[in-house]
C-alpha cells in the first residue's frame, strides 16, 4: 500500500509520456496522492488536462508563473513529496540533472528537492548508448538517484534495443521498494545473491573471466528487495548500476567472492547467479608479463572453490539454495545432473547457445529444475524472470514454517 504517500511525478517529453498517465492512475488506486509537473516537451505528448484528470490535482508547468509561485513555490513543491519520480526521464532531463541545471520548473524542482529521486529513462537506443548519456547516468547513480529500466524492445522510431520506458507496474514496484522497504512476501528474510563474472588475474593488467553482464543476478537482487527481503548482493566486476535498497559487496576473484559469501551467511535463501571462473592462474605475475624472444608464456591453472557446492555443504546452508546453469546443449539434462552434483535445491537453467542472444541481452529463456519437476518458462525479459523466481521463492518459503 502507498496510502497517503505523496509522489511528485515529473513527466518529460517522449512518446512514452502516455504511460505516465497509467502510472498516475495506478498510484492513486494504491492510495498515493500524485502531483504532476509536465515539462514543455511533455505537453507535446500528453495534455495538461489529461494529467490533471488522472492526478485529480492542478498540473504544474511554468517556473515563472506568478500564480503558481504564490500558491506553492518550486522549492515547496519539490519538498512536499515523499518521492520524486521522473517518467519518462528523457536524455535532456537526465543531462540537466547530472549537471545541476535549473532552467525550468522540472529541473529546478529536481535540484531543490531533499527527497529521493527515481528516474525511468526512455529514449532512442542510440541516445541511451551515447557516451554522454552513459556518463550522465553514472553520475546520477553515484549521486544516489534510483533507476528503473529502460527495457529492451522495438522503439517508436523503428530501431531495436534498450530505451523503452519501464512498464508502469515495474515503476510502481520500484516506488514500493523505495517507499515501503521491508514490506512484501519476503519481509524479514535475508536473501544472498551472487552476480556477474569473476576476474582472475594473469598479471597486474590481464585477467581471465567468463562472459557475464550481471543483469540477471542484479535483477534478482532488485526483485527480492522489492519483495521486502534484506538483500546482500555479492557482485563481480560489472558495468551496470547497483540495485536500489540492496547491500552490495564488490569482489574481483572467485576466492574473494567465496569469502564475501561466507561473511554474508546466514541467509534464508541463496541465489547464485554469478558466472564464477572455474580456474585461476596459479601464480599470477607480480609485474606485467613482457613479450619477448621466449615466445608466449604458459599459464598454469589452479581450481577455484565451487562456491555453490561449498555453501550447500556448509552448516550455514540457506534453507533454499538456487544455482544457475548456463548450457549450450542438453540444457535440462545437464541442469538435473548439476542439481545433484552441487547439492542445491533448484537450478535455473538457461540456454546460452550462440543464437540465443541471452549473453549480455535483456531477455532470458529458462527452465526451473527442482528435484522432482522441470518447469519451462517462456522467453521473457530478465527482470520478469527475476520477479517470477522471487515469487516461486516466496511461495516455497511460506509453505514451510519459519524457524
Ligand atoms: O559448474 P557451473 O559453473 O556450471 O555451475 C553454475 C552454478 O554454480 C552457478 O549457480 C554458479 O554461480 C555456481 N558456481 C559457484 N562457484 C563456482 C562455479 C560455479 O558458485 N566456482
Amino acid at each position: 500500500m502507498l496510502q497517503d504517500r505523496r509522489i511528485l511525478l515529473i513527466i518529460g517529453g517522449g512518446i512514452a509520456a502516455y504511460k505516465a498517465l497509467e502510472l498516475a492512475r495506478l498510484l492513486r488506486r494504491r492510495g498515493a496522492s500524485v502531483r504532476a509537473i509536465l515539462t514543455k516537451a511533455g505537453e507535446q505528448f500528453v495534455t495538461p488536462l489529461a494529467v490533471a484528470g488522472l492526478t485529480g490535482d492542478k498540473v504544474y508547468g511554468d517556473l515563472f508563473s506568478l500564480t503558481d509561485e504564490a500558491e506553492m513555490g518550486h522549492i515547496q513543491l519539490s519538498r512536499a513529496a515523499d518521492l520524486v519520480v521522473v517518467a519518462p526521464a528523457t536524455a535532456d532531463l537526465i543531462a540537466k540533472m547530472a549537471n545541476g541545471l535549473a532552467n525550468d520548473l522540472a529541473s529546478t524542482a529536481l535540484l531543490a528537492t531533499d527527497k529521493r529521486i527515481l528516474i525511468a529513462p526512455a529514449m532512442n537506443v542510440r541516445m541511451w548508448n551515447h557516451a554522454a548519456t552513459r556518463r550522465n547516468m553514472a553520475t546520477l547513480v553515484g549521486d544516489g538517484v534510483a533507476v528503473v529500466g529502460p527495457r529492451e524492445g522495438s522503439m517508436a522510431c523503428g530501431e531495436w534495443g534498450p530505451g523503452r520506458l519501464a512498464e508502469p507496474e515495474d515503476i510502481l514496484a520500484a516506488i514500493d521498494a523505495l517507499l515501503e522497504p521491508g514490506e512484501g512476501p519476503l519481509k524479514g528474510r535475508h536473501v544472498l545473491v551472487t552476480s556477474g563474472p569473476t576476474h582472475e588475474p594473469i598479471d597486474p593488467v590481464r585477467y581471465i573471466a567468463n562472459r557475464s553482464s550481471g543483469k540477471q543476478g542484479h535483477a534478482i537482487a532488485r526483485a527480492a528487495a522489492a519483495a521486502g527481503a534484506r538483500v546482500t548482493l555479492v557482485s563481480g566486476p560489472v558495468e551496470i548500476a547497483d540495485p536500489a535498497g540492496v547491500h552490495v559487496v564488490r569482489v574481483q576473484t572467485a576466492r574473494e567472492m567465496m569469502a564475501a559469501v561466507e561473511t554474508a551467511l546466514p541467509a534464508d535463501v541463496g541465489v547464485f547467479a554469478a558466472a564464477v571462473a572455474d580456474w585461476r592462474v596459479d601464480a599470477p605475475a607480480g609485474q606485467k608479463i613482457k613479450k619477448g624472444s621466449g615466445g608466449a608464456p604458459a599459464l598454469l591453472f589452479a581450481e577455484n572453490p565451487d562456491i555453490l557446492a561449498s555453501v550447500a555443504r556448509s552448516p550455514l546452508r540457506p534453507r533454499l539454495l538456487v544455482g544457475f546453469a548456463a548450457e549450450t546443449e542438453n540444457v535440462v539434462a545437464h541442469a538435473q545432473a548439476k542439481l545433484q552434483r552441487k547439492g542445491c535445491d533448484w537450478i535455473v537453467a538457461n540456454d546460452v547457445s550462440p543464437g540465443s542472444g541471452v549473453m549480455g541481452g535483456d531477455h532470458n529463456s529458462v527452465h526451473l529444475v527442482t528435484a522432482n519437476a522441470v518447469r519451462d518458462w517462456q522467453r521473457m525479459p530478465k527482470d520478469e524472470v527475476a520477479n517470477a523466481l522471487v515469487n516461486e521463492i516466496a511461495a516455497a518459503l511460506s509453505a514451510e514454517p519459519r524457524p
Side-chain angles (χ1 to χ4, degrees):
M1 285 303 281
L2 291 170
Q3 197 63 46
D4 299 331
R5 297 306 208 133
R6 293 158 307 172
I7 309 292
L8 177 64
L9 176 63
I10 298 181
I11 306 175
I15 198 78
Y18 72 94
K19 288 194 191 170
L21 300 180
E22 172 65 1
L23 176 64
R25 196 181 67 79
L26 292 176
L27 281 166
R28 289 194 68 208
R29 214 169 60 187
R30 297 279 299 277
S33 67
V34 184
R35 177 159 277 161
I37 295 179
L38 185 59
T39 65
K40 273 265 163 298
E43 271 184 38
Q44 305 298 314
F45 295 90
V46 290
T47 67
L49 213 56
V51 178
L54 281 157
T55 58
D57 194 3
K58 170 178 176 7
V59 177
Y60 293 78
D62 188 354
L63 177 60
F64 301 108
S65 151
L66 287 178
T67 39
D68 281 4
E69 283 293 312
E71 281 169 25
M72 176 174 279
H74 58 277
I75 305 283
Q76 201 189 342
L77 186 61
S78 71
R79 298 195 183 158
D82 296 308
L83 181 73
V84 183
V85 178
V86 189
T90 58
D92 178 67
L93 267 173
I94 287 170
K96 279 182 179 162
M97 287 175 73
N99 292 286
L101 297 187
N103 62 354
D104 61 6
L105 183 61
S107 52
T108 307
L110 284 161
L111 197 60
T113 190
D114 56 355
K115 298 299 174 354
R116 282 212 72 176
I117 301 173
L118 170 70
I119 63 170
M123 66 195 73
N124 167 272
V125 57
R126 285 176 200 273
M127 293 166 81
W128 175 250
N129 286 332
H130 193 284
T133 307
R134 306 283 84 237
R135 253 191 333 265
N136 291 335
M137 284 300 298
T139 302
L140 292 183
V141 169
D143 289 348
V145 170
V147 184
V148 54
R151 297 167 75 98
E152 197 171 87
S154 57
M155 320 219 53
C157 47
E159 290 180 81
W160 201 91
R164 286 166 64 96
L165 183 71
E167 290 304 319
E169 288 79 9
D170 292 333
I171 303 176
L172 197 63
I175 292 172
D176 264 340
L178 288 168
L179 284 181
E180 312 277 347
E183 288 303 320
L186 290 181
K187 178 177 180 167
R189 310 284 193 176
H190 180 206
V191 177
L192 170 61
V193 181
T194 70
S195 183
T198 64
H199 285 182
E200 312 292 335
I202 296 170
D203 65 20
V205 297
R206 305 180 179 98
Y207 59 84
I208 57 166
N210 287 342
R211 284 187 204 285
S212 169
S213 62
K215 284 180 181 173
Q216 186 63 81
H218 278 54
I220 292 165
R222 189 181 307 113
R230 174 167 76 85
V231 181
T232 306
L233 172 64
V234 179
S235 175
V238 294
E239 291 182 358
I240 54 176
D242 289 352
V246 165
H247 175 55
V248 183
V249 183
R250 285 188 195 77
V251 298
Q252 296 281 328
T253 67
R255 286 191 293 177
E256 287 169 13
M257 185 171 277
M258 177 85 232
V261 162
E262 280 171 347
T263 306
L265 290 172
D268 298 286
V269 182
V271 182
F272 290 3
V276 184
D278 291 316
W279 306 282
R280 64 179 180 276
V281 176
D282 196 19
Q287 305 294 333
K288 183 179 174 189
I289 302 171
K290 303 303 262 182
K291 276 188 284 191
S293 52
L299 295 177
L300 198 63
F301 288 101
E303 197 157 326
N304 269 330
D306 188 316
I307 304 166
L308 177 60
S310 135
V311 168
R313 289 191 306 268
S314 148
L316 291 178
R317 183 195 196 279
R319 264 174 305 143
L320 185 61
L321 192 55
V322 185
F324 270 69
E327 303 288 352
T328 55
E329 56 177 1
N330 297 334
V331 178
V332 170
H334 281 139
Q336 283 165 326
K338 196 163 288 179
L339 186 86
Q340 296 290 329
R341 202 167 61 242
K342 303 246 181 185
C344 55
D345 301 301
W346 300 349
I347 288 271
V348 179
N350 50 356
D351 182 351
V352 293
S353 50
S356 69
V358 165
M359 288 287 191
D362 282 334
H363 283 72
N364 212 346
S365 86
V366 309
H367 313 268
L368 183 65
V369 178
T370 65
N372 42 30
V374 178
R375 301 244 302 277
D376 304 321
W377 289 354
Q378 66 192 40
R379 186 179 145 84
M380 51 182 143
K382 288 180 176 172
D383 47 6
E384 282 178 28
V385 170
N387 286 336
L389 183 65
V390 163
N391 286 342
E392 293 289 338
I393 290 171
L397 290 189
S398 70
E400 57 175 68
R402 281 172 190 259

